[in-house]
Amino acid sequence: MSEFSSKVYEAIHSPLMADGIDTLQVNIGRHCNQRCLHCHVDAGPDKKTEFMSRETMGMVLKVLAENEIHTLDITGGAPELHPGLGYLLEGAASLGKKAILRSNLSALLLPGNERLIGLLVKNRVEIIASLPCYLEKNVDSQRGAGVYKLSIQALKLLNDRGYGKEGSGLALHLVYNPAGAVLPGRQDALESDYKRELQGRHGIVFNKLLAITNMPIGRFKETLLKGGNYESYAAILKKNFNKETIPELMCRKMLSISWDGRIFDCDFNQMLELTVNHGAASLLSGFDLEVLKKREIMVGDHCFGCAAGRGSSCGGEIRSGLVF
Ligand code: SF4
Ligand code: SF4
């Protein structure tokens, strides 16, 4: 039993169990125009072979059509680099499902993506975009030279199309993650800083800021190991374990699908090749909502990354307002 499993058992006297499924998060490939230091996916410009096929996208849409799962959350890599993204977005819209696109912003500016932005607007796709700081040097040191300027350009373009503006119905949320081996600060305070600075410096508006803890796996783990910080960061996450985050851990309400159609409890487990287990079928072709929505979740010590401090999920901080 992992240390995290023991902590959960101690806190709730049972293993971590799913509690329904409201979101299907689909990782459509690891190809990305950036190569960020904190990336848990190990994505990059060279990852061109792991692309979700049209057939697998069709299976995703079939699962959405046949089950009461209201949200399709699309991630990568940079999903904008996948030629089938429009097919998936249009398919979700035709089923009346909410769609979320996780964007690194710069990919929206790549040639050929003008049409994609029109599609996002037309289908009211929510955009969750990474911007780890409002300062250029911090963004460029984490995400690569020149990324900040491109991100700002993309945010202005999205604002021009109505994204992030009150009453437009076009949600634009930004994602903050710490630059190093520390827990994020308070989400509400960071949001105020971001709103003030982005408005003041560039006239940019957005809806919410989501503060996310860096997960010590993938390229971020390599970065930590190279800097000799892995052990100390893992210790920080364990030391700050907060049992109050357990009911809201995101894996309890979602599933993650890989480019090749396997089913995972979350994108982190996907990167660790930990498919759903304990009797649940791990392929989309065997999708069974009744079994999956009550499954026992595959946990490991990386899960301390979700349960430390105020907690962390793809929707940001879990327990807002707690002092840590
Ligand atoms: S963190 Fe996002 S933008 Fe950066 S390399 Fe990974 S997938 Fe690409
Ligand atoms: S890493 Fe995944 S399985 Fe573990 S707590 Fe976080 S969301 Fe759940």
Side-chain angles (χ1 to χ4, degrees):
M1 189 185 259
S2 68
E3 202 175 332
F4 184 80
S5 304
S6 309
K7 288 274 191 193
V8 169
Y9 208 87
E10 208 177 281
I12 61 171
H13 311 296
S14 99
L16 189 63
M17 305 296 291
D19 181 27
I21 296 165
D22 56 30
T23 300
L24 213 53
Q25 189 178 72
V26 179
N27 191 318
I28 61 176
R30 297 191 194 188
H31 191 201
C32 188
N33 56 321
Q34 295 181 187
R35 191 191 294 280
C36 308
L37 289 177
H38 69 283
C39 186
H40 73 269
V41 179
D42 202 20
D46 54 326
K47 300 288 168 78
K48 288 186 180 165
T49 53
E50 299 168 348
F51 265 119
M52 183 173 277
S53 67
R54 186 62 73 107
E55 187 191 357
T56 305
M57 286 185 171
M59 287 166 72
V60 167
L61 293 173
K62 185 167 180 285
V63 164
L64 287 172
E66 291 175 352
N67 295 282
E68 283 190 22
I69 300 174
H70 59 63
T71 299
L72 173 66
D73 182 344
I74 304 171
T75 188
E80 296 92 332
L81 269 58
H82 194 305
L85 175 60
Y87 169 70
L88 206 48
L89 291 172
E90 297 267 34
S94 70
L95 294 169
K97 306 288 178 177
K98 172 180 172 179
I100 298 173
L101 175 70
R102 293 189 183 263
S103 173
N104 68 12
L105 291 170
S106 64
L108 286 170
L109 302 174
L110 293 171
N113 277 344
E114 304 80 9
R115 194 184 151 268
L116 172 65
I117 293 175
L119 203 65
L120 296 172
V121 172
K122 179 180 146 220
N123 293 304
R124 295 282 183 263
V125 176
E126 180 174 311
I127 298 181
I128 299 186
S130 319
L131 189 72
C133 190
Y134 45 77
L135 296 174
E136 183 166 4
K137 74 173 177 13
N138 293 347
V139 171
D140 284 3
S141 67
Q142 192 177 128
R143 296 173 82 76
V147 169
Y148 180 79
K149 284 198 172 75
L150 292 171
S151 304
I152 295 299
Q153 197 184 328
L155 285 170
K156 285 184 173 171
L157 181 67
L158 291 172
N159 277 177
D160 286 347
R161 301 300 297 266
Y163 268 103
K165 297 209 164 149
E166 237 180 271
S168 69
L170 294 168
L172 171 61
H173 306 310
L174 298 185
V175 174
Y176 159 85
N177 63 280
V182 292
L183 288 178
R186 284 181 66 131
Q187 183 170 281
D188 52 359
L190 284 161
E191 183 178 292
S192 303
D193 292 347
Y194 264 68
K195 287 199 163 166
R196 184 190 64 244
E197 295 297 324
L198 288 177
Q199 172 71 265
R201 289 164 191 262
H202 307 288
I204 286 169
V205 293
F206 65 97
N207 299 104
K208 288 194 287 184
L209 184 82
L210 314 178
I212 295 186
T213 303
N214 290 318
M215 185 56 79
I217 62 174
R219 190 174 303 128
F220 187 58
K221 180 174 180 180
E222 284 170 28
T223 308
L224 289 168
L225 286 169
K226 271 188 209 145
N229 296 318
Y230 178 72
E231 297 299 332
S232 59
Y233 186 57
I236 288 172
L237 298 180
K238 281 184 193 177
K239 182 170 155 254
N240 286 284
F241 172 73
N242 176 5
K243 66 180 182 187
E244 291 184 50
T245 62
I246 295 173
E248 308 299 328
L249 289 170
M250 64 180 174
C251 46
R252 301 198 66 221
K253 294 276 187 194
M254 65 168 273
L255 285 169
S256 162
I257 309 297
S258 59
W259 65 276
D260 54 357
R262 287 176 295 154
I263 307 174
F264 300 82
D265 297 293
C266 67
D267 201 52
F268 304 126
N269 282 6
Q270 187 181 136
M271 297 313 136
L272 294 170
E273 298 281 338
L274 284 172
T275 51
V276 286
N277 207 323
H278 306 293
S282 62
L283 291 175
L284 261 183
S285 50
F287 193 95
D288 183 340
L289 185 70
E290 290 311 306
V291 175
L292 287 164
K293 73 183 185 188
K294 291 182 272 187
R295 74 198 186 280
E296 181 180 335
I297 293 162
M298 295 288 288
V299 295
D301 284 350
H302 60 292
C303 298
F304 283 111
C306 294
R310 283 174 290 274
S312 177
S313 72
C314 287
E317 196 175 86
I318 293 178
R319 301 288 304 199
S320 298
L322 287 184
V323 179
F324 264 85

